[in-house]
């Protein structure tokens, strides 16, 4: 029941905002904050009640829906899902609280945000493959309206491109889901059955085609190169909080889907294609970092770093799937690292996109060349940006290092040459963030920034909360690793 509450409460808030007129900006925001916060609280209770020594999926709710098709309302969580869902709920609360220009439509803006929260949590928490697809598609609807209605620049074009690209990926994934469903002797959409039975093991070309459909659909969402072209423009033209959710939550639907579907349900097939997937992940790591280094637009630079960091996540998943070593511990380490990377990237890049929104609110400009010398003018903004940037480049003591250390340790034991090349991506990432900080905060203060204001109380409070999470995971990751390791061990140990 606790996970059902986490799913339903945001949608009740969205329904109230959508159907009851007359909300002021403040009232609409606090209704959304209350809905998102209660959902987060339910997930925290689920976390505290999760038994790492227990079965893979816990807190299960199940109601028969269409028995003839094997469809049911099924929710439950393993440690991986619970970690990513809780991070997502935290980021939604932060995005709702963060100041933004709602253009006279606060009720609609906050309704779409909490609607999107419910749909996103549905992807992480459902145990029914058909409902997974339904929730996956519903996230497209919420983000489409947030970009198209409250974005700037060519917002409607960016929203349309986002929807069409990612919906094409959803359709590919649907073909793979149908292939999995039909492979069972008694068809069902119950994920637990598919994980236990591994129905496509030993089926050769058919399994390869199903794997390809699933991975292509999820790679578009992640996104991996060369299926990434929808992402930069969507980020640049979206409002800051929507960008934070897009990078921090929606991209994780792709990598989480890789763990939940092909990794868990098609172990033998994924092992066969693990090396090509790892090479594609390496391309994303290096390409994302190099292209980000060349960007003079603040938001576009951060967007390309997301491609780079999601490459780390996919690399960890591919290494965990490989069967070229007899040591399951290193593969478990890689899978745990991939999950921690999802959590860390959500907090870090979410904070960076909220910060970019603060720049836009003050100047209406993302061009790095038009900034400089703001360290004295806005020390709090400077401090939070420095912290998030160093976390993103993998500085020890911060969340990004915990994730990347595990991913590269696992990779070095399985594909050492990929690990060596992947480290180059970290070096380039360091260069691009140090250059960004130099251009934003140091040197001469341009005259047009003489009235640039410091962060408001709401802004620094939200960024302070996200920064605290980044530091806690970096210094004391045990609480997170204990939750994730139990599920990683079960998923890897069954191979």
């Amino acid at each position: 029941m606790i996970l059902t509450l986490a799913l339903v409460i945001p949608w009740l808030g969205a329904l109230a905002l959508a159907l009851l007129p007359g909300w002021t900006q403040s009232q609409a925001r606090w209704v959304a904050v209350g809905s998102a916060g209660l959902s987060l609280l339910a997930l925290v209770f689920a976390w505290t009640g999760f038994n790492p020594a227990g079965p893979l999926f816990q807190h299960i709710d199940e109601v028969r829906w269409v028995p003839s098709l094997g469809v049911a309302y099924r929710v439950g969580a393993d440690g991986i899902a619970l970690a990513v869902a809780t991070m997502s709920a935290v980021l939604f609360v932060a995005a709702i609280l963060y100041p933004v220009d709602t253009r006279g439509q606060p009720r609609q803006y906050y309704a779409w945000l909490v609607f999107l929260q419910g749909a996103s949590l549905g992807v992480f928490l459902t145990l029914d493959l058909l409902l997974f697809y339904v929730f996956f598609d519903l996230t497209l609807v919420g983000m489409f309206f947030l970009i198209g209605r409250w974005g700037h620049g060519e917002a409607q074009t960016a929203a349309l491109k986002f929807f069409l690209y990612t919906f094409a990926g959803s359709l590919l994934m649907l073909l793979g889901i149908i292939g999995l469903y039909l492979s069972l002797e008694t068809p069902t959409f119950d994920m637990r059955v598919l994980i236990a039975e591994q129905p496509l093991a030993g089926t050769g070309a058919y399994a390869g085609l199903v794997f390809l459909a699933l991975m292509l659909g999820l790679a578009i969402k992640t996104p991996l190169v060369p299926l990434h072209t929808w992402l930069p423009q969507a980020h640049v033209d979206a409002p800051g909080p929507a960008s934070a959710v897009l990078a921090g939550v929606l991209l994780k639907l792709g990598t989480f889907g890789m763990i939940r579907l092909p990794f868990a349900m098609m172990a033998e097939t994924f092992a066969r294609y693990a090396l090509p997937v790892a090479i594609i992940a390496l391309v994303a790591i290096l390409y994302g970092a190099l292209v980000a280094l060349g960007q003079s637009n603040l938001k576009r630079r951060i967007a390309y770093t997301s491609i780079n960091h999601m490459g780390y996540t996919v690399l960890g998943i591919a290494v965990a799937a490989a069967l070229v070593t007899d040591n399951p511990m290193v593969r478990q380490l890689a899978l745990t690292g991939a999950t921690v990377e999802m959590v860390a990237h959500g907090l870090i890049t979410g904070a960076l996109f909220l910060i970019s929104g603060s720049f836009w609110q003050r100047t209406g400009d993302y061009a790095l060349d038009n900034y400089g010398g703001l360290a004295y003018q806005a020390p709090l903004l400077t401090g939070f940006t420095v912290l998030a940037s160093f976390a993103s480049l993998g500085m020890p003591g911060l969340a990004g290092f915990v994730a990347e250390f595990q991913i590269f340790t696992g990779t070095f034991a399985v594909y050492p040459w990929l690990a060596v090349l992947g480290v180059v991506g970290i070096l380039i990432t360091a260069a691009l963030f140090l250059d960004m900080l130099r251009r934003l905060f140091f040197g001469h203060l341009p005259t047009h920034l003489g009235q640039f204001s410091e962060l408001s109380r709401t802004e620094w409070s939200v960024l302070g909360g996200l920064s605290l999470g980044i530091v806690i995971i970096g210094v004391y990751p045990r609480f997170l690793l204990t939750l994730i390791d139990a599920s990683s061990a079960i998923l890897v140990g069954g191979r």
Side-chain angles (χ1 to χ4, degrees):
M1 181 59 74
I2 193 70
L3 296 183
T4 296
L5 288 175
L7 288 178
V8 170
I9 290 172
W11 279 355
L12 292 177
L15 199 62
L17 289 168
L19 298 181
L20 302 176
W23 301 98
T24 65
Q25 171 93 13
S26 178
Q27 290 171 337
R29 184 171 68 166
W30 284 110
V31 168
V33 168
S35 303
L38 287 173
S39 177
L40 171 60
L41 187 62
L43 289 169
V44 171
F45 275 116
W47 187 320
T48 58
F50 189 86
N51 179 13
L56 178 61
F57 295 111
Q58 300 177 33
H59 302 299
I60 295 173
D61 295 329
E62 185 168 4
V63 179
R64 298 179 69 185
W65 187 10
V66 188
S68 60
L69 295 178
V71 180
Y73 170 79
R74 303 179 178 100
V75 296
D78 61 359
I80 293 171
L82 201 50
V84 181
T86 305
M87 176 279 296
S88 300
V90 168
L91 195 54
F92 270 105
V93 173
I96 292 167
L97 280 170
Y98 214 73
V100 68
D101 179 11
T102 60
R103 301 180 184 176
Q105 293 185 313
R107 182 171 62 88
Q108 295 90 331
Y109 172 80
Y110 291 115
W112 279 119
L113 264 181
V114 286
F115 170 86
L116 185 57
Q117 179 180 0
S120 301
L121 294 180
V123 175
F124 299 130
L125 301 178
T126 185
L127 294 180
D128 187 274
L129 201 52
L130 186 60
L131 283 183
F132 180 93
Y133 175 77
V134 171
F135 285 126
F136 197 91
D137 270 3
L138 287 177
T139 62
L140 309 185
V141 178
M143 185 55 67
F144 172 78
F145 283 105
L146 286 169
I147 296 173
R149 179 62 188 87
W150 290 278
H152 37 260
E154 299 180 0
Q156 294 186 7
T157 301
L160 181 63
K161 188 175 183 181
F162 157 79
F163 189 93
L164 291 179
Y165 261 73
T166 50
F167 186 59
S170 295
L171 293 176
L172 282 170
M173 187 178 70
L174 178 61
L175 292 176
I177 288 172
I178 293 171
L180 274 171
Y181 173 76
L182 294 176
S183 65
L184 291 164
E185 290 186 12
T186 304
T188 179
F189 288 100
D190 192 334
M191 291 183 174
R192 295 164 296 179
V193 174
L194 287 159
I195 293 171
E197 293 191 7
Q198 299 287 313
L200 289 178
T203 56
Y206 179 76
L209 290 173
V210 172
F211 178 82
L212 180 64
L214 291 173
M215 287 299 292
L216 279 176
L218 295 166
I220 291 173
K221 191 74 169 183
T222 299
L224 289 175
V225 177
L227 306 172
H228 67 287
T229 55
W230 62 268
L231 180 69
Q233 196 62 42
H235 271 308
V236 170
D237 291 336
S243 285
V245 169
L246 176 58
V249 180
L250 297 199
L251 301 191
K252 309 305 177 294
L253 305 185
T255 48
F256 177 81
M258 290 180 189
I259 296 173
R260 181 62 81 237
L261 275 58
F263 182 89
M265 300 176 187
M266 303 180 66
E268 179 184 292
T269 307
F270 206 144
R272 189 160 64 246
Y273 296 105
L275 180 57
V277 173
I279 293 172
I280 293 171
L282 176 66
V283 171
I285 291 169
L286 298 177
Y287 176 88
L290 282 169
V291 176
L293 182 61
Q295 301 304 309
S296 59
N297 180 292
L298 171 63
K299 242 188 172 186
R300 191 175 287 270
R301 176 170 291 204
I302 299 170
Y304 275 104
T305 67
S306 287
I307 297 171
N308 161 263
H309 283 84
M310 298 314 291
Y312 294 134
T313 303
V314 176
L315 178 62
I317 296 169
V319 168
L323 296 178
V324 297
T325 175
D326 295 328
N327 185 359
M329 291 299 295
V330 295
R331 292 187 287 115
Q332 179 186 337
L333 192 67
L335 183 58
T336 298
T339 306
V340 176
E341 180 69 31
M342 286 191 274
V343 175
H345 179 265
L347 297 175
I348 296 166
T349 307
L352 286 169
F353 275 118
L354 291 177
I355 288 167
S356 71
S358 293
F359 278 99
W360 180 265
Q361 291 290 328
R362 287 158 174 77
T363 65
D365 191 4
Y366 291 130
L368 291 170
D369 292 337
N370 293 337
Y371 289 98
L374 287 173
Y376 179 79
Q377 187 87 358
L380 283 176
L381 177 63
T382 304
F384 286 123
T385 310
V386 168
L387 178 72
S389 298
F390 275 81
S392 192
L393 62 85
M395 183 62 62
L398 300 173
F401 175 78
V402 178
E404 290 168 17
F405 176 81
Q406 294 181 94
I407 291 170
F408 279 102
T409 301
T411 303
F412 196 83
V414 178
Y415 302 124
W417 60 279
L418 284 179
V420 172
L421 292 173
V423 168
V424 177
I426 297 179
L427 183 64
I428 301 170
T429 303
L432 71 90
F433 274 113
L434 293 176
D435 174 69
M436 184 188 81
L437 294 173
R438 176 187 63 83
R439 294 165 76 173
L440 287 174
F441 299 111
F442 302 104
H444 175 70
L445 180 70
T447 55
H448 69 274
L449 296 180
Q451 301 302 314
F452 190 95
S453 59
E454 177 61 291
L455 294 176
S456 67
R457 180 182 299 178
T458 301
E459 288 173 312
W460 66 253
S461 297
V462 170
L463 293 174
L466 294 177
S467 299
L468 182 63
I470 292 167
V471 172
I472 290 174
I473 293 173
V475 174
Y476 189 76
R478 180 178 175 181
F479 76 99
L480 180 61
L481 297 180
T482 300
L483 178 72
I484 298 169
D485 271 337
S487 300
S488 297
I490 294 173
L491 290 172
V492 171
R495 291 168 179 264

